[in-house]
Amino acid sequence: MVRYLPVFIALALMVYCIVDVAQTPGDEVRRAPRWLWLTAIVIVPVVGPICWLVLGRPSARGGGGSPNRPPRYPDDDPDFLRRL
């Protein structure tokens, strides 16, 4: 059973990355189009998912969010906090 563990891990990583690419908006994918990332993940089983996680995945949004998107909560809105 232990000798099959790397295969299960590679398969789980591949499935996770395929779902992640499919759920990522097309304009947020970095370095290559989404279809190319899906192809790389499927054809190159271990290296493709790792490259997606390191190079293609959108960067994490920290605290402030996107300037085009309104704040989700009132305490994230600077105008709301000024009015308090």
Side-chain angles (χ1 to χ4, degrees), residues 11-30 32-39 41-42 48-61:
L11 186 63
L13 182 64
M14 185 186 312
V15 169
Y16 172 78
C17 288
I18 288 172
V19 170
D20 194 30
V21 169
Q23 291 181 348
T24 302
D27 59 338
E28 293 183 15
V29 176
R30 297 186 300 164
R34 187 186 320 183
W35 65 268
L36 189 61
W37 281 115
L38 286 171
T39 305
I41 290 169
V42 172
I50 291 173
C51 286
W52 162 253
L53 293 174
V54 174
L55 301 173
R57 195 170 194 200
S59 59
R61 293 185 192 130

Side-chain angles (χ1 to χ4, degrees), residues 62-82:
S66 174
N68 299 336
R69 202 173 289 169
R72 293 182 73 179
Y73 305 104
D75 58 345
D76 291 340
D77 187 4
D79 294 330
F80 176 79
L81 293 175
R82 266 182 271 180

